[in-house]
Amino acid sequence: MRLETLAIHAGRAVDPATGAVRPPIHLSTTFERDPDGGYARGYVYARYGNPNRAALEEALAALEGGAAALAFASGSAATMSVFQALEPGDHVVAPLDAYHGTVGLLREHFTRWGLEVTFADLTDPEQLEAALRPNTRLVWVETPSNPLLRITDIRRVVEAAHAVGARVVCDNTWATPVLQRPLALGCDLVVHATTKYLNGHGDVTGGVVVAREVDAWFERLRAIQVQGGAVPSPFDAWLVLRGLATLPYRVRAHTEHAARVAAFLQAHPAVEAVHYPGLADHPGHAVAARQMEGFGGMLAFQVRGGREAALAVAARVRLITRATSLGGVESLIEHRASIEGPGTRTPENLLRLSVGLEHPEDLIADLEQALEAAV
Ligand SMILES: *Cc1c(COP(=O)(O)O)cnc(C)c1O
């Protein structure tokens, strides 16, 4: 079945007990044991598993073309479970430009647990080769990256990493399975913050890990999920599953709107640079055109005049909301350097824009009036 059909039907069935077409929310923390002591109905205790979480995991595995999925209480919990499944002394290669929470987990927590970490610009094949070592067990890819929309050639990373016996994990949050299928490009795992496009309505915090195959290492991830218990609530699982139904149509509209906003910004005299892989002069344009089905709903732009000019533009928007996060129906603008804090590599005049599902002309009109005083 095609993605649009899977988005609506994978993990769903008419409720056998009531005939309800939409799934009920199962709040029970515990499940009845059979007289013989077994659990023939499959559920024991809600941390181990619950019908809403099982349905979500089945749907997410289907959308990414994976063998199985594990849902978590946040994208960061999903990310953390992957690092927790490694051993002290294992070496990890991670990108320089990536979600600052992922970088923070590695730098502040997992190096203390004995992981060795090398940060490198994975868009550059020479830096990638130089970063790999015989004890490299994991290469983390995020493409398009946060916040500079850098594009990494997934196949190339997979080839180099697999040659030294390392697994490749792709954070596919910004692209979604609608635009990019990392498992089909050879990655071993996909991670998402379902908080973003997959739920799509800005009202759930969640994450997922999807695996190409169920092996012993994936079983270790599953043990971390159920023993550690950073699992989504039944209602959160239910909401993400509901959001998934419209994912393909939402992502295509986000993409179309972002392309129009990017073209507007690129032509504006107050804008110094636009980072959007759909633009022909973006350094990752050719790779993105090859490995993605569209360029996505996220962009970043730099305002002429530095930090103060950028903050002034963010202060003047009226329709677009000043807030962190992304992937929801409403457009959000963010001065990224100030949320990332001291030591950030993000340019001070950069604003990140999550282009929502409002009419693109209304978004452009809002940006036009906000940029006017900056000219
Ligand atoms: C938001 C985000 C995360 C973290 O997700 P949380 O649900 O906030 O923990 C990870 N990766 C990317 C690319 C993100 O945008």
Side-chain angles (χ1 to χ4, degrees), residues 74-77 79 99 102 142 146 171 173-174 193 195-196 205-207 326:
S74 71
S76 301
T79 298
Y99 179 65
T102 303
E142 184 183 306
N146 185 1
D171 183 336
T173 299
W174 282 31
T195 313
K196 315 293 171 50
T205 304
L326 59 114

Side-chain angles (χ1 to χ4, degrees), residues 71-90:
F72 287 87
S74 71
S76 301
T79 298
M80 190 156 80
S81 76
V82 175
F83 299 143
Q84 282 172 329
L86 297 171
E87 306 276 344
D90 284 353

Side-chain angles (χ1 to χ4, degrees), residues 194-213:
T194 54
T195 313
K196 315 293 171 50
Y197 290 104
L198 298 191
N199 176 61
H201 295 74
D203 46 17
V204 174
T205 304
V208 69
V209 178
V210 186
R212 193 152 50 93
E213 54 184 275

